[in-house]
Amino acid sequence: GTQRLHRLAEDISAVSRAEEGQLDSRPVRASPQLLLSAAAAAAQEAYDAAQVRLTLEAGGTVPDVHVDPERMGQVLANLLDNALRHTPPGGSVRLCATRPDQHWVELEVADTGEGITAEALPHVFERFYRADPARLRQPGNSGSGIGLTISRALVEAHGGGLSAHSAGLGRGTTFRIRLHVHHAVDAGAEAPDRAGRRVRAVDRHVVQGAAREVAEEVGTAVEVRERRAGVEHAAGHRRRARHMRVSHE
């Protein structure tokens, strides 16, 4: 309960900063293979503990992309965490980078886990969406419920896209990040501004819903704190009033 709420608050803070235009995003030329290898290294210990194999396919001639490495690292970390939570021991998760055409590079996180039904697939990026509510009760499943929503917003802030693909239950899931090849990015001021407006619109929707979720989870505690603050405020008024009477006398 407390751990999930803390994670939720951190995630809401992240999208709040995006909504206020405070992402502090610094896109640079970056190697897709290095982005993937850094993400794999960061996740390796958790994967070893869960007995899930994590592999990074050797890249071919995949060109550099135009991204903020820290933000894209956050996206990959979210996707790897999601894949690990839905892949049983003995399963595997594969990372790779491909170039579908001259303008785009795609980063893939593909798992051999639970898979997603055709009915649930369109909703996986919705805030707090759970294809299977029973997952909430599984040990170690402490996801906030908006990690995928944040990931898509961050990718869209780069002018790219994030999509999910699955052949069905038990068939695994692939998340595909689509990013501009470095030379294909418009270097003018309009491109980041358009991307910024997109992510702010998405995040405003996310933040409003997340705030409602927090209120539902901690409503009673908030009411108690507010009542306590009200009592303390009134007591302060009474002390000041007594002090003023003594001073006037």
Side-chain angles (χ1 to χ4, degrees):
T2 302
Q3 185 179 2
R4 180 171 180 264
L5 186 62
H6 179 69
R7 169 76 179 272
L8 182 63
E10 288 182 342
D11 286 347
I12 292 171
S13 176
V15 292
S16 294
R17 290 194 301 273
E19 196 257 344
E20 294 166 3
Q22 297 177 352
L23 270 176
D24 193 26
S25 180
R26 294 184 174 88
V28 296
R29 183 172 187 168
S31 160
Q33 204 67 16
L34 288 180
L35 290 171
L36 293 176
S37 62
Q44 190 64 61
E45 185 176 350
Y47 271 72
D48 289 344
Q51 299 177 20
V52 174
R53 186 183 179 201
L54 179 59
T55 60
L56 172 59
E57 288 191 358
T61 55
V62 179
D64 291 343
V65 290
H66 188 76
V67 299
D68 181 323
E70 182 178 348
R71 298 297 175 190
M72 203 48 54
Q74 181 182 352
V75 170
L76 288 167
N78 283 343
L79 295 179
L80 283 170
D81 176 66
N82 182 76
L84 183 60
R85 284 188 283 115
H86 301 309
T87 302
S92 64
V93 175
R94 173 182 55 84
L95 296 172
C96 71
T98 60
R99 185 182 189 179
D101 59 50
Q102 62 179 338
H103 300 297
W104 297 94
V105 165
E106 292 180 345
L107 309 182
E108 287 190 359
V109 179
D111 66 61
T112 60
E114 300 167 0
I116 305 172
T117 65
E119 294 77 20
L121 203 55
H123 304 288
V124 295
F125 295 105
E126 295 175 6
R127 62 185 185 275
F128 309 120
Y129 180 77
R130 301 281 181 174
D132 179 6
R135 289 175 178 169
L136 289 171
R137 298 187 293 273
Q138 293 177 358
N141 195 347
S142 57
S144 70
I146 57 176
L148 292 179
T149 312
I150 293 171
S151 296
R152 174 176 264 186
L154 290 175
V155 174
E156 289 180 348
H158 286 79
L162 176 60
S163 57
H165 311 268
S166 178
L169 291 179
R171 305 288 296 277
T173 304
T174 297
F175 284 91
R176 190 168 292 131
I177 304 169
R178 189 173 173 86
L179 298 169
H180 285 290
V181 171
H182 180 73
H183 66 74
V185 175
D186 181 0
E190 290 184 4
D193 184 58
R194 285 197 302 270
R197 281 202 297 272
R198 272 201 305 275
V199 73
R200 284 195 290 273
V202 170
D203 288 336
R204 185 177 300 110
H205 187 55
V206 173
V207 170
Q208 288 170 351
R212 285 194 296 271
E213 175 77 2
V214 171
E216 291 173 3
E217 291 204 19
V218 298
T220 302
V222 170
E223 289 174 10
V224 169
R225 285 198 298 271
E226 287 179 347
R227 284 200 296 271
R228 185 180 299 124
V231 170
E232 291 174 355
H233 186 65
H237 271 301
R238 288 196 295 272
R239 284 195 297 271
R240 286 193 293 273
R242 284 198 299 271
H243 178 73
M244 290 175 66
R245 285 199 299 272
V246 171
S247 299
H248 281 27
E249 291 171 359

PDB file of all heavy atoms in Angstrom, residues 12 16 57 160 178:
ATOM      1  N   ILE A  12       3.465  10.523 -10.768  1.00  0.00           N
ATOM      2  CA  ILE A  12       2.621  11.697 -11.000  1.00  0.00           C
ATOM      3  C   ILE A  12       3.478  12.946 -11.075  1.00  0.00           C
ATOM      4  O   ILE A  12       3.248  13.833 -11.898  1.00  0.00           O
ATOM      5  CB  ILE A  12       1.557  11.836  -9.893  1.00  0.00           C
ATOM      6  CG1 ILE A  12       0.549  10.686  -9.994  1.00  0.00           C
ATOM      7  CG2 ILE A  12       0.816  13.162 -10.011  1.00  0.00           C
ATOM      8  CD1 ILE A  12      -0.395  10.619  -8.823  1.00  0.00           C
ATOM      9  N   SER A  16       3.677  15.551 -14.080  1.00  0.00           N
ATOM     10  CA  SER A  16       3.358  16.934 -13.738  1.00  0.00           C
ATOM     11  C   SER A  16       4.420  17.871 -14.299  1.00  0.00           C
ATOM     12  O   SER A  16       4.108  18.926 -14.853  1.00  0.00           O
ATOM     13  CB  SER A  16       3.271  17.115 -12.218  1.00  0.00           C
ATOM     14  OG  SER A  16       2.191  16.401 -11.678  1.00  0.00           O
ATOM     15  N   GLU A  57      20.157  -8.307 -28.851  1.00  0.00           N
ATOM     16  CA  GLU A  57      20.592  -8.735 -30.184  1.00  0.00           C
ATOM     17  C   GLU A  57      21.616  -7.765 -30.738  1.00  0.00           C
ATOM     18  O   GLU A  57      21.482  -6.538 -30.592  1.00  0.00           O
ATOM     19  CB  GLU A  57      19.389  -8.820 -31.126  1.00  0.00           C
ATOM     20  CG  GLU A  57      18.471  -9.977 -30.837  1.00  0.00           C
ATOM     21  CD  GLU A  57      17.454 -10.188 -31.937  1.00  0.00           C
ATOM     22  OE1 GLU A  57      17.450  -9.392 -32.910  1.00  0.00           O
ATOM     23  OE2 GLU A  57      16.647 -11.127 -31.826  1.00  0.00           O
ATOM     24  N   GLY A 160       8.134  10.751 -31.651  1.00  0.00           N
ATOM     25  CA  GLY A 160       8.045   9.350 -32.052  1.00  0.00           C
ATOM     26  C   GLY A 160       6.751   8.710 -31.609  1.00  0.00           C
ATOM     27  O   GLY A 160       5.744   9.381 -31.390  1.00  0.00           O
ATOM     28  N   ARG A 178       9.299   3.910 -31.700  1.00  0.00           N
ATOM     29  CA  ARG A 178       9.628   4.413 -33.036  1.00  0.00           C
ATOM     30  C   ARG A 178      10.236   5.808 -32.893  1.00  0.00           C
ATOM     31  O   ARG A 178       9.601   6.722 -32.344  1.00  0.00           O
ATOM     32  CB  ARG A 178       8.360   4.454 -33.885  1.00  0.00           C
ATOM     33  CG  ARG A 178       8.558   4.755 -35.359  1.00  0.00           C
ATOM     34  CD  ARG A 178       7.221   4.586 -36.077  1.00  0.00           C
ATOM     35  NE  ARG A 178       7.251   4.997 -37.450  1.00  0.00           N
ATOM     36  CZ  ARG A 178       7.622   4.228 -38.472  1.00  0.00           C
ATOM     37  NH1 ARG A 178       7.999   2.985 -38.244  1.00  0.00           N
ATOM     38  NH2 ARG A 178       7.595   4.679 -39.711  1.00  0.00           N
TER      39      ARG A 178
END
